[in-house]
Amino acid sequence: MIPKSRKMLIVDDIKLNRIILREAFQDDYEILQAEDGNQAMDILYKEKKQILIVMLDIFMPEKDGFSVLAEMKSNGDLCDIPVVVVTQVDEVENEVRALDLGADDLIRKPYDPRVIRQRVKNIVEKKEMEQVRAENHLLQIRRREEERYRIIVEHSGTIVFEWNIENQEFYCSEGLKQFLLYEIVANKTTEKDILLQSVYPQDFALVQEVFLKNLQEGTGTSEITVRLKTIKDEFLWCKLTATIVMNGLIRTRILGTLTIVDKEMKAELELRYRAEFDSLTGIYNKSTFYQKTQLLLAQNPDTNYTLIRFDVDRFKVINDIFGMEKGDRLLKKIAQGLHNFSKDHGTYGHLEADHFVLCIPDQDVDMDAIIEQLNTEFRQFMSNYSLIFCFGIYHIHDRSLSVDIMCDRAKLALQSVKGNYMKRYAVYDDVLRTDMLHEQEVTNEMDEALSKRQFEVFFQPIYSLKAAKPVSAEALVRWNHPLKGVLSPASFIHIFEQNGFISKLDFFVWEEVCRKLRAWLDAGESVLPVSVNMSRINLYKVTLCDDLVKLMRKYHLDTSLFKIEITESAYTENPMQLLTLVKRLQECHFTVLMDDFGSGYSSLNMLKDICVDILKIDMNFLSDFKQSKRSAIILASVVQMAEQLNMQVIAEGVETKEQMEYLRSIGCDKIQGYYYSKPLNPTEYEALLDQNKP
Ligand code: C2E
Ligand code: MG
Ligand code: MG
């Protein structure tokens, strides 16, 4: 049977002619017939795809063969159908015209069937060949285009995929096969499973909430950057885009791209990390801590929080002694442990140098436990060096303050415990604030005060009960402030001890004392030895003894006139250094007094190693000796012990006759206190000296 698509159209107004042609070709073609040009065109338009060849007569009524030919050749759909024009003998002019209009061949009547069959066969085959060639050419162009497209895609690093929603077919460019996503899609697992298995767990919510939602809602393009699993079981950062292709209201395909952005993303994350986290310790840096804490407070309006700031006491010294590397390791270790305190209810960060900060709910604040935990953890960290942590606490009552200011307040509290060996933490309150302001004021004014000689030296005589007259004096500094009047040392000495200014002031006082002694000696007055106070900061001054000796030389003074009081807390703080210094001072013939004996904790222990010349017992520490028999016994025993150790005793702070008499009864001869005299200004003191001239 002839295939349906092989049709021949015979156009001739003479039936016999049509029959002859039909006879000739009916074995090879399905024959269609038209009696004139109009009929022929109707059939052509209808059957254009199936008609392989047209046999066309020229002379026909109405529309002739030329018109049919012309119309066919000018129509894009019909112009490729071969046309064989049928003519009579002696119609050369018409033949030329037909060929000119695009006829593919001519046959003359009467025809020999074998010849025309062969000629038609040739024409059809030629046409078919041309068609195949054209199709091949097109295919080649398309292949080349695809090749070009593939190369571009492959080089762009982007993987392209297409998901046919209707038939679930999946196409993808090279590269996707390295992802688990592909494996799952190739095995036709459901959408949800693909995501569960191939998306990094932490990114899954994002995929669901943004990407899938966009896709499900139907139109446009959705884009997302997430980690996808490769078949090597590692996750790579990928940028996914997907566009829904619609057919009317029906979603037909999803066209997507996948670009591996792992390097770029990791670099970006690294940058972000560096901006947010402290590079040394790996915890929040200052600005991130501020941000996160602000957020924490805003999100938990009903929880009360406390800010705890802390540092390592004398961290600089640790760096100096053990090296920066060890110092860094210490900071890292501290940072690592902070999560234990904040758990997941708070924030923590590294503010600067050795300053750390925590913001935790009030109910979690147990300072003793925190200190104990840190102490335990760091007991072994530095051999032979016990680490001390100092804490400043700010209870967040006012949330309108910036976290920056809250941290500053905690810092003020922290600073207030510095140098205080009995206290490890302090809470910020208004008293502290006033103290701090005062401290700031004092610090601002001190240099000018010294240069303008606002500091004055007073003298408090020390009496001998046996001699019944003053035998020495203590030099005590006063600040004659132009606005505030005379300030007592209690309001400024501790500040100078912290900021280091005390060594300048001490030296000023010592020189003032020397100047006075020299002046009195030069004036022929009777001169009593004077003891000066020496702050513990001077313990660390290597040139201290030399400086003192130089001072004695400068004013031509005998060291017996110049005694040195060292407060007892200095003894407990650094016994070895002190022991060396006391020895040195004594070698230079200075008398050394232990001031405020009994105020500290290890007085007796100190005495065992350090041989001072004189003990000064402050009566304030034993003020209840009248009521308490025990205090009286202790006082008596100390006096007795000192005598046995060849040390003199001075009782200071003696205010009453009773005290004086008790001291006399236990053999304590030297007495300093309001009972005899307050500290006197130089003029008053000179008057006193005058009275007691031998
Ligand atoms: P301190 O060395 O123990 O001095 C004795 C303090 O007791 C003096 O206080 C003195 O005025 C006071 N005082 C004397 N008799 C009595 C008394 O009967 N009852 C009472 N309640 N107090 C009495 P001041 O002058 O206020 O000095 C306080 C502290 O300041 C001194 O204690 C000393 O530690 C320090 N200080 C004073 N001047 C200097 C100085 O030039 N350098 C250094 N580093 N510290 C100084
Ligand atoms: Mg003193
Ligand atoms: Mg004292």
Side-chain angles (χ1 to χ4, degrees), residues 333-352:
K333 195 167 157 68
I334 295 173
Q336 279 160 14
L338 290 184
H339 188 257
N340 289 341
F341 300 125
S342 89
K343 307 201 180 70
D344 287 322
H345 319 305
T347 52
Y348 55 90
H350 183 205
L351 293 180
E352 60 190 23

Side-chain angles (χ1 to χ4, degrees), residues 278 281 283-291 293 307-311 331 335 338 347-359 392 403-411 414:
D278 170 53
T281 59
I283 61 174
Y284 286 155
N285 60 21
K286 191 200 281 194
S287 59
T288 316
F289 173 78
Y290 289 171
Q291 269 174 34
T293 306
L307 204 99
I308 304 172
R309 182 176 181 140
F310 71 95
D311 76 347
L331 297 180
L338 290 184
T347 52
Y348 55 90
H350 183 205
L351 293 180
E352 60 190 23
D354 58 332
H355 279 240
F356 292 89
V357 65
L358 282 161
C359 178
V403 180
D404 189 358
I405 291 180
M406 295 176 189
C407 285
D408 277 353
R409 294 195 165 179
K411 188 177 186 179
L414 189 153

Side-chain angles (χ1 to χ4, degrees), residues 460 474 477-478 489 506 533 595-596 652-655 673-674 679:
Q460 187 174 30
E474 176 175 5
V477 73
R478 299 287 179 264
D506 273 356
N533 288 287
D595 204 356
D596 307 329
E652 65 176 329
V654 179
E655 291 181 348
Y674 297 163

Side-chain angles (χ1 to χ4, degrees), residues 474 476 533 565 567 594-597 616-618 621 652-653 672:
E474 176 175 5
L476 294 161
N533 288 287
E565 295 192 12
T567 189
M594 186 187 282
D595 204 356
D596 307 329
F597 180 76
K616 275 188 100 167
I617 307 167
D618 195 326
F621 305 126
E652 65 176 329
Q672 174 184 355

